[in-house]
């Protein structure tokens, strides 16, 4: 991770950790950088950059700042307006843009925002380019202004969003006619896209949290507050419900009984489905270290192999492309289908679950039979220094002691957030009480050693 960019972009409270000046300078550098690459290749074309944003009030400010920087450096800025992160990734790839930019803080509250950079292949930006962006932000690298006809222009590109909607509809293998589906759009970027897709495929679509006002994104809504969707699905007799986060790159589901279907459940359901049809290349599903023990036990029963990466869909995708894997993701709902997308895509994930639902002709609750979640407790501790808290000898000692106590019947995991000043402490064991005790023992030492910022 760099000074400004974490595992999922440059994120911070709007006009505190992340300012309009930052956005302008990022635009200035990228406009010059990609223009320079074209000139070096002998091309006289301007650099082309596509931009999307979520529904936060501050997203407009950052959009205009980025556009100002891009055109001042000679790039043409194509604006998709309010749209999802995976749609920007898709359009950057299929329409051969030099790069894509998504303005979002994902599942964070409205007052935070972020800038995600996407390369021309629709993938997370490489570390080398991000390092150069950061050097420009710190004033150690120059980017000259464009002049006269070299100045870039701005292009309204809502057509790109519509093209993405068409692509999702084209992936529908079955008609959803007769299926009653609930969608929780988190008052975020999916609000104008998800329903259009499900309606086009024939579902009876019911939607909640699809009235964004700039201040209500993720507020008691979406994949991080799924209890509202659970109640809605049961009360309205829905076959299934899908909950997205603010930029719709993740998806969780709710079965017909109101039970939460996590990212691990989704990996199990679709991994099993692919194996049954001989489509699971390398017979491997890629997970992160945060996936549940129960998932691995279930995969063992099915004869499905698995890999574990660091937390972050970026690392999952890197492993998948390197080892030719087709399915991977995180328990939080970032699911990647490399045959169809280069990043986690919440709406695509919900379509693939509907594919299994329709093919099996079974209720959602029966699709994950054979997978039993181990009890898990996860707590976050806001700290002064993430690295120092984890490296403290006494913290490491208590983690080792708890790990030895759990043995092969559970685990303890301590890791830092890639986007917040937080250390996450997670335990899995035979019961909730033991998980809670293990987590609290570690957190107590973190606090006693003076690392907590609370």
């Amino acid at each position: 991770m760099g000074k400004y960019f974490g595992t999922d972009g440059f994120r911070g409270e709007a006009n505190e950790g992340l300012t309009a000046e930052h956005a302008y300078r990022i635009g200035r550098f990228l406009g010059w950088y990609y223009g320079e690459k074209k000139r070096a290749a002998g091309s006289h074309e301007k650099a082309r950059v596509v931009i999307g944003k979520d529904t936060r009030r501050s997203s407009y400010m950052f959009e205009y700042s980025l556009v100002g920087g891009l055109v001042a450096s000679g790039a043409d800025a194509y604006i998709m307006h309010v749209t999802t992160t995976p749609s920007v990734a898709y359009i950057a790839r299929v329409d051969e843009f030099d790069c894509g930019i998504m303005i979002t803080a994902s599942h964070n509250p409205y007052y935070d925002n972020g800038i995600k950079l996407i390369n021309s292949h629709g993938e997370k930006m490489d570390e080398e380019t991000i390092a150069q962006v950061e050097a420009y932000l710190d004033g150690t690298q120059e980017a000259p202004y464009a002049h006269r006809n070299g100045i870039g222009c701005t292009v309204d590109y809502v057509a790109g969003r519509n093209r993405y909607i068409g692509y999702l509809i084209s992936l529908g293998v079955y008609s959803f006619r007769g299926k009653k589906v609930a969608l929780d759009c988190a008052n975020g970027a999916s609000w104008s896209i998800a329903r259009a897709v499900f309606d086009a495929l024939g579902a009876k679509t019911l939607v909640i949290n699809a009235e964004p006002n700039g201040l209500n994104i993720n507020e008691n809504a979406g994949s991080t507050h799924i209890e509202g969707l659970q109640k809605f699905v049961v009360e309205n007799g829905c076959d299934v419900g899908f909950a997205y986060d603010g930029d719709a790159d993740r998806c969780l589901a709710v079965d017909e009984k109101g039970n939460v279907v996590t990212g691990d459940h989704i990996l199990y359901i679709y991994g099993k489905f692919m194996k049954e049809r001989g489509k699971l290349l390398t017979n491997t599903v890629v997970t992160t270290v945060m996936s549940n023990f129960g998932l691995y036990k279930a995969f063992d029963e099915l004869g499905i192999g698995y890999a574990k990466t660091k937390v972050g869909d970026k690392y999952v995708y890197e492993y998948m492309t390197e080892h030719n894997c087709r399915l991977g993701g995180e328990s939080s709902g970032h699911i990647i289908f490399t045959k169809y997308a280069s990043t986690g895509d919440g709406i695509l994930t919900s379509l693939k679950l509907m594919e299994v639902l329709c093919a099996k002709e079974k209720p959602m609750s029966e699709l994950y039979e054979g997978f039993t979640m181990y009890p898990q407790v996860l707590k976050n501790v806001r700290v002064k220094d993430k690295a120092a808290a984890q490296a403290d000898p006494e913290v490491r000692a208590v983690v080792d002691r708890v790990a030895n106590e759990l043995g092969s019947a559970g685990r303890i995991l301590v890791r830092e957030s890639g986007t917040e000043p937080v250390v996450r402490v997670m335990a899995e064991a035979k019961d909730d009480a033991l998980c809670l005790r293990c987590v609290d023992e570690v957190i107590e030492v973190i606090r006693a050693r003076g690392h907590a910022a609370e």
Side-chain angles (χ1 to χ4, degrees):
M1 291 186 291
K3 178 178 178 181
Y4 301 101
F5 286 82
T7 56
D8 205 13
F10 183 170
R11 196 176 297 187
E13 184 173 339
N15 281 344
E16 290 289 340
L18 174 64
T19 68
E21 177 67 18
H22 286 130
Y24 175 73
R25 288 181 62 79
I26 290 169
R28 282 275 288 117
F29 178 80
L30 292 175
W32 168 81
Y33 176 76
Y34 285 104
E36 191 67 14
K37 289 183 74 171
K38 284 184 176 291
R39 288 185 286 273
S43 172
H44 298 291
E45 296 180 354
K46 288 185 171 66
R48 299 166 63 249
V49 179
V50 62
I51 303 173
K53 65 175 181 286
D54 69 17
T55 57
R56 294 162 214 271
R57 178 175 291 179
S58 63
S59 291
Y60 294 83
M61 170 181 73
F62 290 122
E63 177 186 58
Y64 298 148
S65 298
L66 281 162
V67 168
L70 286 165
V71 300
S73 289
D76 291 342
Y78 289 68
I79 304 175
M80 287 176 67
H81 304 285
V82 172
T83 192
T84 66
T85 292
S87 73
V88 175
Y90 172 76
I91 291 300
R93 174 170 56 88
V94 300
D95 286 355
E96 299 181 339
F97 282 93
D98 293 291
C99 77
I101 304 174
M102 179 65 187
I103 304 160
T104 181
S106 189
H107 59 280
N108 284 26
Y110 81 90
Y111 48 78
D112 288 340
N113 216 324
I115 296 173
K116 296 183 180 182
L117 303 183
I118 298 166
N119 69 18
S120 60
H121 303 293
E123 304 162 339
K124 300 291 176 69
M125 189 66 75
D126 62 276
E127 296 297 334
E128 181 182 349
T129 302
I130 286 176
Q132 293 188 61
V133 174
E134 294 194 337
Y136 182 73
L137 290 174
D138 282 337
T140 60
Q141 189 158 323
E142 293 298 319
Y145 283 104
H147 298 283
R148 298 193 175 184
N149 65 346
I151 293 172
C153 68
T154 304
V155 180
D156 186 298
Y157 208 57
V158 70
R161 184 177 67 200
N162 294 335
R163 185 174 176 183
Y164 168 72
I165 292 173
Y167 172 66
L168 290 178
I169 294 170
S170 76
L171 297 179
V173 178
Y174 296 90
S175 168
F176 297 164
R177 191 169 303 279
K179 300 296 184 185
K180 195 173 185 180
V181 181
L183 304 177
D184 184 344
C185 295
N187 293 310
S190 66
W191 81 275
S192 64
I193 296 177
R195 180 167 199 154
V197 174
F198 275 83
D199 282 351
L201 290 170
K204 181 176 182 180
T205 315
L206 307 180
V207 182
I208 60 173
N209 299 314
E211 298 181 356
N213 62 16
L215 306 177
N216 62 356
I217 187 171
N218 300 315
E219 184 179 16
N220 298 318
S223 61
T224 51
H225 299 280
I226 202 168
E227 57 277 0
L229 181 61
Q230 290 177 271
K231 181 180 179 183
F232 186 86
V233 165
V234 173
E235 289 180 346
N236 290 274
C238 298
D239 294 292
V240 65
F242 298 108
Y244 310 115
D245 63 338
D247 64 333
D249 64 352
R250 67 168 75 176
C251 169
L252 296 182
V254 173
D255 70 22
E256 77 284 357
K257 298 178 182 178
N259 300 311
V260 176
V261 179
T262 70
D264 285 344
H265 288 87
I266 295 170
L267 291 175
Y268 174 79
I269 291 169
Y270 208 77
K272 180 181 179 181
F273 184 68
M274 292 179 75
K275 184 176 177 65
E276 290 171 349
R277 283 155 177 73
K279 303 292 187 181
L280 190 61
L281 297 187
T282 73
N283 193 43
T284 301
V285 176
V286 184
T287 71
T288 75
V289 295
M290 291 297 286
S291 281
N292 191 273
F293 255 24
L295 179 62
Y296 303 125
K297 296 290 186 182
F299 279 158
D300 288 340
E301 289 293 321
L302 294 174
I304 293 176
Y306 44 85
K308 301 177 185 179
T309 74
K310 293 190 292 185
V311 173
D313 61 333
K314 170 183 178 180
Y315 303 113
V316 173
Y317 180 75
E318 287 175 355
Y319 187 97
M320 293 176 73
T321 53
E322 183 178 349
H323 296 89
N324 196 29
C325 300
R326 284 285 178 87
L327 176 64
E330 301 185 278
S331 55
S332 61
H334 285 120
I335 310 297
I336 303 174
F337 304 87
T338 53
K339 183 178 179 179
Y340 307 103
S342 54
T343 185
D345 186 330
I347 302 174
L348 171 61
T349 298
S350 56
L351 295 179
K352 302 312 283 182
L353 275 178
M354 288 297 296
E355 178 185 339
V356 184
L357 191 72
C358 294
K360 293 286 191 178
E361 297 183 335
K362 293 181 178 180
M364 179 61 70
S365 62
E366 293 183 16
L367 297 182
Y368 55 84
E369 287 181 349
F371 169 37
T372 302
M373 292 273 286
Y374 269 46
Q376 183 185 92
V377 171
L378 171 66
K379 290 188 178 183
N380 297 327
V381 186
R382 190 167 290 271
V383 294
K384 302 169 187 173
D385 186 316
K386 292 181 284 190
Q390 292 181 92
D392 188 302
E394 292 194 24
V395 174
R396 294 173 67 91
V398 71
V399 171
D400 290 342
R401 179 174 59 75
V402 169
N404 288 333
E405 178 186 345
L406 292 172
S408 61
R411 63 171 176 156
I412 183 80
L413 179 66
V414 179
R415 54 169 289 268
E416 65 182 59
S417 166
T419 57
E420 301 173 88
V422 159
V423 168
R424 308 193 195 282
V425 184
M426 185 269 283
E428 290 174 337
K430 61 184 180 181
D431 58 62
D432 291 323
L434 179 56
C435 291
L436 183 61
R437 177 171 65 80
C438 293
V439 167
D440 285 345
E441 284 182 15
V442 174
I443 291 176
E444 183 179 340
V445 175
I446 291 174
R447 286 180 171 145
R449 295 288 291 170
H451 296 293
E454 302 167 325

